[in-house]
Amino acid sequence: MLTKRIIPCLDIKDGRTVKGVNFINIRDAGDPVELGEAYARQGADELVFLDISATNENRKTFVKLVKEIASHVNIPFTVGGGISSVEDVAPLLEAGADKVSINSAAVKNPDLIDQLSKAFGSQFVVLAIDARKIDNQWIVHTHGGSKPTDKKLFSWAKEGQERGAGELLFTSMDHDGTKQGFAIDPLAKLNELLNIPVIASGGAGTQKDFLEAFVLGKADAALAATLFHFGELTIKELKDYLLQSGVPIRNVNA
Amino acid sequence: MKVAIIKYNAGNIRSVAFAMERLKVDYSITDHEEEIRKADKIIFPGVGEASTTMQYLKYKKLDQVIINLKQPVLGICLGMQLMCAFSEENNTPCLGIFKESVKFFIPKNKEKIPHMGWNSLAQTKGWLPAELTHQFVYFVHSYYVPVNAHTTAITEYVQPFSAAMKQKNFYAVQFHPEKSALAGEIILSSFLNIPS
């Protein structure tokens, strides 16, 4: 049976993880490669690495890092942050990334989705959408959720799928950082609307939040960052809980 | 032991190479006929589209090289599909090592296509260790090979399909062992341990 995926997300700046990570058995909490390996050992199903540095010089550091991750980590991983062209993506895939996520650049230039899926295949292209509810409408935001656009979540998600995105990563800016649970209603609606996998993001605070994202939100995967980084919830605890709750989950007996 | 990873326009060659490094295996990525023929084991990776990939293999004359190999050959994902006779993906005649046809998943119950993520293996036999039954491996594919006489592991999505196959010296997996954590490493090791 196809299982629901649990995905830790790591923010990277200048080749290092940004937020401190509170892990036992880690020599260097800032080293993304070591962290990625640790998460893979704990049973993470996939990883996401977001490059939040802005300069071209830092991009080169990031490509080098992607190669290091690919050589050490034996589960699939997505890289994103600052990707705006086919030329940006080629070195990342060459370095061993399994997927790339695009966000603001796709809103600005939707044709980028077509170009990337045509050049590398749909399965490489994750469309990330940050949205916030304004006047009862889910409005797409860019630049880390700070800039509202004229796009609506559901029509943009559908357009993204039609243009060739292979997966959708939906972050509710209203829920992100609150630890009050994922945005269940829009998740369920996205799942109904799309036939590509949907990753839930933003709001994870407890095990039950994941259960609701999967059962009520019908999400195919759920992503979280700080919750895992600070050891508030381990991947193993979460997976044990979800299994006991009847969710199809890849069990890792490590 | 020397492993040759067949070099062509596939997406996951680098990942397969990294997996060989993690297993501390000597490998080369090559499209040279001699180098491929001399290797002890061959890996035929694959992520991409069937028709353009077959065109490329024919252009490089790698199609004839592959079908005439005598040592163990492992096809991965698209590599497995190209080992079949025909693919519904752009109606492409393939290598014909397995006589099956590759079919497109038609959802029965709103299943999403592609089949993406971790799914379990059942009825593993032959070259796949029995301990792998019920283990999870990572899949990304929209086309599948039906269960047939050469199937050595079954996975269910929409319906049961071939997760792995074997015929003579040709081995094939639909999933990505190079991305399947410990289970994937066990599978790659058991292929690499097959006597040449």
Side-chain angles (χ1 to χ4, degrees), chain A residues 1 3 45 74 123 191 220, chain B residues 47 112 118-119 179 181 185:
Chain A
M1 190 177 208
T3 55
D45 297 306
N74 60 8
Q123 78 276 10
N191 181 72
D220 298 282
Chain B
V47 168
K112 293 178 177 178
W118 297 79
N119 204 332
K179 287 285 162 183
E185 285 171 12

Side-chain angles (χ1 to χ4, degrees), chain A residues 108-171:
Chain A
K108 198 173 154 197
N109 171 26
D111 202 40
L112 179 63
I113 305 170
D114 306 65
Q115 289 166 12
L116 291 178
S117 65
K118 211 169 165 197
F120 307 108
S122 280
Q123 78 276 10
F124 282 118
V125 186
V126 180
L127 176 62
I129 303 182
D130 296 337
R132 194 185 286 280
K133 205 174 184 180
I134 299 172
D135 296 334
N136 225 22
Q137 294 247 44
W138 282 93
I139 305 295
V140 177
H141 284 59
T142 56
H143 300 83
S146 60
K147 287 191 184 170
T149 70
D150 57 1
K151 290 200 186 314
K152 312 277 195 304
L153 168 64
F154 301 110
S155 53
W156 175 228
K158 185 90 180 164
E159 181 182 340
Q161 170 179 295
E162 278 157 13
R163 286 179 178 273
E167 213 168 0
L168 184 81
L169 168 57
F170 162 56
T171 304

Side-chain angles (χ1 to χ4, degrees), chain B residues 68-87:
Chain B
N68 289 310
L69 288 169
K70 302 290 177 239
Q71 63 274 66
V73 183
L74 176 65
I76 296 177
C77 195
L78 181 65
M80 158 160 158
Q81 298 185 356
L82 295 181
M83 284 176 164
C84 293
F86 180 83
S87 172

Side-chain angles (χ1 to χ4, degrees), chain A residues 182-199:
Chain A
F182 294 95
I184 300 300
D185 291 346
L187 270 176
K189 197 167 167 190
L190 284 170
N191 181 72
E192 191 60 33
L193 188 70
L194 303 178
N195 44 33
I196 55 174
V198 177
I199 306 166

Side-chain angles (χ1 to χ4, degrees), chain A residues 1-3 5 45-46 67 70-77 94-96 98-99 123-124 166-167 191-192 194-198 218 220 249-251 253, chain B residues 11-12 14-15 18-19 21-22 47-48 110-120 135-140 155-157 177-182 185:
Chain A
M1 190 177 208
L2 184 64
T3 55
R5 287 169 281 154
D45 297 306
E46 269 181 61
K67 202 164 179 182
S71 87
H72 287 90
V73 173
N74 60 8
I75 59 172
F77 71 98
E94 171 56 25
D98 297 291
K99 309 176 194 179
Q123 78 276 10
F124 282 118
E167 213 168 0
N191 181 72
E192 191 60 33
L194 303 178
N195 44 33
I196 55 174
V198 177
K218 307 272 168 58
D220 298 282
I249 286 286
R250 176 177 71 111
N251 194 8
N253 311 311
Chain B
N12 64 335
R14 180 62 51 199
S15 305
F18 283 137
E21 283 173 23
R22 287 195 291 270
V47 168
K110 291 204 71 183
E111 291 94 346
K112 293 178 177 178
I113 310 296
H115 172 223
M116 179 189 282
W118 297 79
N119 204 332
S120 54
Q135 291 285 312
F136 290 93
V137 289
Y138 187 79
F139 291 87
V140 184
T155 293
E156 285 221 37
Y157 193 69
E178 76 279 14
K179 287 285 162 183
S180 293
L182 196 58
E185 285 171 12

